[in-house]
Amino acid sequence: MPEFSIIVPVFNTEKYLRQCLDSVLAQTYTDYECIMVNDGSTDSSAQICEEYSFHYPCFHLITQNNMGLSEARNTGIKYSNGDYIVFLDSDDFIKDTALQNLHTTISAGAKEVIISTTYAYYDTEKKTEERCWHPEKHIMKNSEALWFTFTADKFVVAAWTLTVRRNWLMDHQLFFEPGLLHEDELWYPLIIATAPEVTINDKIFYYNRCNRKNSIANTPKIKRCFDKLFIIEKLSCEKIDAECQKSFNYRCGQLMAGIIKDYAGYREVDCGKELSKRINNNLSTLWNTGNFKYRLLYLACMILGVRNISKILSR
């Protein structure tokens, strides 16, 4: 049984896939398996995955019909054999010492969940930028980790910031919600809140490719707003302790503020009225943050209306 299972969901990323998989091959610590889940790619991604699985015994290919990122990750989790699960998107890559640093962190006493340092990678300029987050403590209570990551300026809430012990994840059935866009916004807080404590790995770990055309994250869809509202509704009714709930409320306020800003671009489409109704039904999320800025936004929406505030915010 390997120490790490690296799960790589793949969908039409032929331009970047080799760099991603080569970063796995370059690891200085080699006790791993790499599970590539081809999620119905229509470009040459499938052939690239087949090549790596043929030449490298630790690379395994699973092929399925296109079911989305959540299901691809869930498939990878179910087929994994490692003690710990590492998520790697197929247009991103990892530092050559990433697994070695994780191994060192685990050997020092890490338990269920590890949060690692990530960098933004800008392809056109070939430059990187650290998502600065250097807490003084290397072991945090779950509520502390939630609050500090949600309020950090450049921290990105994403599955690939976390390394999770597989048996613990399976025991709690903490899979990704199928069919969601922004599925990490639901999975990440549930993972942190379920773990009593988390460990911080502050060594260079992950490079996230930014501003890629046609990426899921950069494709505008009204579904994004509906899915964020679904996430807000789910997080708002989770049964967790008061300190974690405080962080959940704050994150829900951040998500709601983003939805209101984006609403101006969607209000005329067929689902615009339904979106408006869902936003208004969840406006209290802003007030529940206890944050002055978000409570002010709540009052502005109540007085001037969501549509008018959205126009102002989107200018």
Side-chain angles (χ1 to χ4, degrees):
M1 184 189 306
E3 182 168 9
F4 298 107
S5 291
I6 304 172
I7 296 174
V8 185
V10 179
F11 179 70
N12 290 354
T13 51
E14 60 183 4
K15 183 177 178 181
Y16 312 103
L17 184 55
R18 289 186 185 278
Q19 183 182 20
C20 170
L21 299 179
D22 285 345
S23 76
V24 175
L25 283 174
Q27 290 303 296
T28 58
Y29 186 78
T30 58
D31 189 13
Y32 67 82
E33 65 176 359
C34 182
I35 299 177
M36 304 168 291
V37 182
N38 175 34
D39 191 44
S41 295
T42 56
D43 63 2
S44 65
S45 294
Q47 289 73 31
I48 294 171
C49 290
E50 288 171 1
E51 176 188 327
Y52 279 75
S53 65
F54 178 78
H55 287 291
Y56 306 107
C58 59
F59 280 67
H60 311 296
L61 174 59
I62 301 166
T63 299
Q64 62 185 33
N65 295 328
N66 180 243
M67 293 188 285
L69 180 57
S70 289
E71 288 286 33
R73 285 174 172 165
N74 289 341
T75 296
I77 292 169
K78 291 170 185 175
Y79 278 89
S80 64
N81 297 292
D83 292 331
Y84 284 84
I85 290 174
V86 175
F87 294 100
L88 173 58
D89 286 357
S90 59
D91 53 348
D92 297 337
F93 55 99
I94 52 177
K95 177 75 172 173
D96 58 355
T97 54
L99 296 187
Q100 180 62 64
N101 291 332
L102 279 176
H103 171 72
T104 301
T105 301
I106 291 166
S107 299
K111 295 180 181 177
E112 284 79 19
V113 179
I114 302 163
I115 302 177
S116 293
T117 302
T118 69
Y119 278 67
Y121 175 74
Y122 298 94
D123 205 17
T124 52
E125 303 94 340
K126 297 293 187 291
K127 72 173 185 177
T128 61
E129 178 183 295
E130 184 180 7
R131 267 79 182 257
C132 302
W133 187 60
H134 295 288
E136 295 180 2
K137 298 164 62 174
H138 281 74
I139 297 178
M140 290 185 171
K141 293 193 303 182
N142 52 11
S143 57
E144 290 179 304
L146 285 168
W147 186 256
F148 280 113
T149 54
F150 287 162
T151 56
D153 286 340
K154 295 184 179 181
F155 188 87
V156 175
V157 174
W160 32 260
T161 64
L162 300 183
T163 299
V164 183
R165 189 163 64 85
R166 184 187 186 278
N167 287 346
W168 176 84
L169 186 149
M170 297 297 289
D171 287 345
H172 290 85
Q173 291 291 288
L174 290 168
F175 293 102
F176 292 87
E177 184 76 23
L180 273 188
L181 299 173
H182 299 284
E183 62 285 323
D184 294 7
E185 292 283 5
L186 178 59
W187 186 82
Y188 175 96
L190 292 179
I191 287 285
I192 300 294
T194 305
E197 64 182 30
V198 301
T199 303
I200 311 302
N201 167 35
D202 59 2
K203 304 295 190 298
I204 300 173
F205 175 70
Y206 193 99
Y207 294 96
N208 169 228
R209 193 182 305 273
C210 297
N211 301 327
R212 176 172 76 83
K213 291 182 179 179
N214 301 321
S215 72
I216 296 174
N218 291 328
T219 304
K221 289 183 179 180
I222 194 171
K223 177 173 165 52
R224 294 189 178 284
C225 293
F226 282 109
D227 284 359
K228 286 181 181 179
L229 286 163
F230 172 84
I231 291 165
I232 288 169
E233 291 160 359
K234 287 278 285 186
L235 293 180
S236 297
C237 65
E238 281 293 319
K239 294 181 179 178
I240 53 177
D241 66 71
E243 286 301 307
C244 285
Q245 189 62 60
K246 177 183 174 182
S247 297
F248 275 26
N249 290 345
Y250 185 81
R251 188 58 178 174
C252 288
Q254 290 177 317
L255 292 172
M256 179 58 75
I259 293 168
I260 292 169
K261 181 179 178 180
D262 292 340
Y263 171 65
Y266 295 120
R267 65 181 184 276
E268 303 299 338
V269 300
D270 290 343
C271 299
K273 289 184 179 179
E274 176 61 24
L275 179 59
S276 176
K277 180 180 177 181
R278 288 279 296 280
I279 291 172
N280 280 292
N281 286 345
N282 286 281
L283 267 184
S284 59
T285 297
L286 293 168
W287 188 264
N288 292 340
T289 63
N291 177 273
F292 175 77
K293 177 177 69 174
Y294 293 126
R295 284 189 165 185
L296 189 62
L297 178 59
Y298 169 82
L299 292 172
C301 288
M302 294 298 290
I303 295 168
L304 299 176
V306 171
R307 176 177 296 189
N308 291 323
I309 294 301
S310 181
K311 288 179 181 177
I312 294 170
L313 293 177
S314 60
R315 286 174 184 168

